[in-house]
Amino acid sequence: MSAIWGVVDKNQAVLTETVERMQQSMQEFKIDRYESIIRDNIYFACGHQYITPESGTDVSPIYDEDSKIWFTADCYLYNRAELIDEILGADKLVGREILEPLGDAMLSYKAYECFGERFVEKLKGTFSIVIYREAEKDVLMYADHLARRYLAYHNDESAVCFASVYQPILALLDNNVRINREWLCTAYSDCTADTVKLPRVTIYENVFQVEPGHYVKINIATNRIENICYYNPTKKIKSLPKMSDDEYKELFIDTFSKTVESMLRSAGETGIMLSGGLDSSAVAAFAAIKLAKADKKLYSYTSVPAGDFQYENTKFFIENETDMVLEH
């Protein structure tokens, strides 16, 4: 997993000042390795974090000299084995021994080579991915199915810039950034935690986000912008076959177990945000069992009120879950 940022300038070579500003803005984060590629009017960068066994040798960004494709990715794949099988089925020239050691970014690029623009339909995980195709002169920006890996961008007459955190974009725009009052008012219009009421809009004016299950295509020659949906679960609803209660139970437990296990590829230790509720408790129970088989522990973190916290809604809310967590 990592962070990505970059610029495609529409008029001139990328300035050294632009590169320095954007990279400097990332210094506050814990980054294990910085990688970047700068050629003429394009700058792609990635700040790698070593989380999975493959992430230490992962490659991002990528520039393919033959196809003139730029690629950078911040991703954590859940379906590596399934994806490798799909790539092997589509590309007979590549072997499993080549694909299996690849990091998630490189494996995603192989999927793009095999399946083209809609390759994300083959991916399962959390990711933000940006591609620039020199021949087509278009920038492709992808968010995962639920946009858990954030991807923001700014587009004007001079350049397209992107980042999976705001800082590089704000550093580049400098004093030209203004708070989006419409977003702010809408976000505070009710008491829920939902701030995604205006599609693609963010708290900053003229800075947008890629929606969940979508990718944005911007042609830098014509400035044509397309917002393309690649994932809509409501259009692919399938009824389960009629089964017994025990069979439904077995299917649920098997699915839940595989889902939890897919998150346990850490090269180090594994932690969980644990509350007293059923959701995180169930995940913790399954994860702890899986980790124990590898002689590992699950480390939990819980947010609790400060000592001087004033309890006002105890009849309606559980404001301190400490006792419930300790019971685990």
Side-chain angles (χ1 to χ4, degrees), residues 76-140:
Y76 185 110
L77 298 178
Y78 305 159
N79 67 328
R80 282 180 58 91
E82 175 186 329
L83 182 60
I84 287 172
D85 287 341
E86 293 228 35
I87 293 173
L88 290 173
D91 186 351
K92 304 301 182 184
L93 298 179
V94 66
R96 186 177 298 275
E97 70 283 357
I98 294 176
L99 295 177
E100 288 186 343
L102 296 180
D104 290 357
M106 277 292 290
L107 196 57
S108 299
Y109 181 65
K110 289 294 183 183
Y112 170 75
E113 287 185 311
C114 287
F115 307 112
E117 185 174 312
R118 295 183 72 95
F119 74 106
V120 284
E121 295 174 335
K122 305 290 186 180
L123 307 185
K124 293 178 183 177
T126 61
F127 55 81
S128 57
I129 298 172
V130 178
I131 299 172
Y132 178 62
R133 305 186 293 194
E134 289 187 13
E136 292 85 352
K137 294 188 180 302
D138 57 22
V139 182
L140 307 173

Side-chain angles (χ1 to χ4, degrees), residues 44-328:
F44 270 33
C46 181
H48 292 265
Q49 293 178 316
Y50 298 162
I51 295 176
T52 68
E54 303 86 8
S55 58
T57 56
D58 204 1
V59 179
S60 179
I62 299 165
Y63 177 60
D64 191 320
E65 290 276 6
D66 296 328
S67 60
K68 306 299 182 185
I69 299 292
W70 293 72
F71 182 99
T72 190
D74 167 13
C75 61
Y76 185 110
L77 298 178
Y78 305 159
N79 67 328
R80 282 180 58 91
E82 175 186 329
L83 182 60
I84 287 172
D85 287 341
E86 293 228 35
I87 293 173
L88 290 173
D91 186 351
K92 304 301 182 184
L93 298 179
V94 66
R96 186 177 298 275
E97 70 283 357
I98 294 176
L99 295 177
E100 288 186 343
L102 296 180
D104 290 357
M106 277 292 290
L107 196 57
S108 299
Y109 181 65
K110 289 294 183 183
Y112 170 75
E113 287 185 311
C114 287
F115 307 112
E117 185 174 312
R118 295 183 72 95
F119 74 106
V120 284
E121 295 174 335
K122 305 290 186 180
L123 307 185
K124 293 178 183 177
T126 61
F127 55 81
S128 57
I129 298 172
V130 178
I131 299 172
Y132 178 62
R133 305 186 293 194
E134 289 187 13
E136 292 85 352
K137 294 188 180 302
D138 57 22
V139 182
L140 307 173
M141 296 176 285
Y142 298 85
D144 63 58
H145 302 73
L146 300 178
R148 285 163 294 187
R149 302 304 294 167
Y150 197 79
L151 184 57
Y153 65 95
H154 170 78
N155 175 51
D156 60 22
E157 67 279 357
S158 62
V160 178
C161 62
F162 64 86
S164 53
V165 291
Y166 282 126
Q167 280 83 340
I169 296 176
L170 301 183
L172 182 61
L173 298 180
D174 198 17
N175 295 324
N176 297 317
V177 179
R178 295 183 179 180
I179 295 295
N180 188 327
R181 294 184 178 276
E182 181 185 14
W183 183 95
L184 202 60
C185 292
T186 305
Y188 280 92
S189 63
D190 61 41
C191 61
T192 72
D194 178 18
T195 57
V196 190
K197 301 178 186 297
L198 302 173
R200 299 183 296 282
V201 177
T202 74
I203 192 171
Y204 300 106
E205 288 186 0
N206 299 316
V207 176
F208 302 94
Q209 64 173 324
V210 183
E211 292 180 83
H214 285 69
Y215 66 97
V216 173
K217 182 193 294 188
I218 301 177
N219 187 285
I220 66 168
T222 65
N223 206 36
R224 174 182 170 83
I225 303 175
E226 298 177 74
N227 185 53
I228 302 166
C229 177
Y230 70 84
Y231 172 71
N232 186 339
T234 62
K235 292 184 177 181
K236 295 184 177 180
I237 297 175
K238 294 182 180 179
S239 298
L240 289 174
K242 188 174 182 180
M243 297 185 290
S244 67
D245 288 350
D246 286 342
E247 288 173 320
Y248 282 126
K249 178 181 176 181
E250 183 180 351
L251 176 61
F252 174 81
I253 292 176
D254 181 63
T255 303
F256 191 84
S257 179
K258 288 178 179 177
T259 302
V260 173
E261 188 173 7
S262 70
M263 296 295 296
L264 303 179
R265 289 199 296 118
S266 173
E269 302 297 339
T270 301
I272 184 173
M273 296 298 293
L274 183 63
S275 72
L278 291 176
D279 296 345
S280 62
S281 299
V283 173
F286 275 74
I289 293 171
K290 294 287 185 183
L291 290 169
K293 293 179 180 179
D295 294 324
K296 286 190 171 185
K297 294 181 179 180
L298 178 66
Y299 295 85
S300 63
Y301 300 86
T302 302
S303 176
V304 298
D308 59 351
F309 180 77
Q310 298 295 314
Y311 295 90
E312 299 177 352
N313 299 300
T314 54
K315 292 183 179 180
F316 305 100
F317 302 104
I318 300 174
E319 296 177 310
N320 187 343
E321 301 185 37
T322 302
D323 292 340
M324 299 171 66
V325 170
L326 292 176
E327 287 181 2
H328 297 317

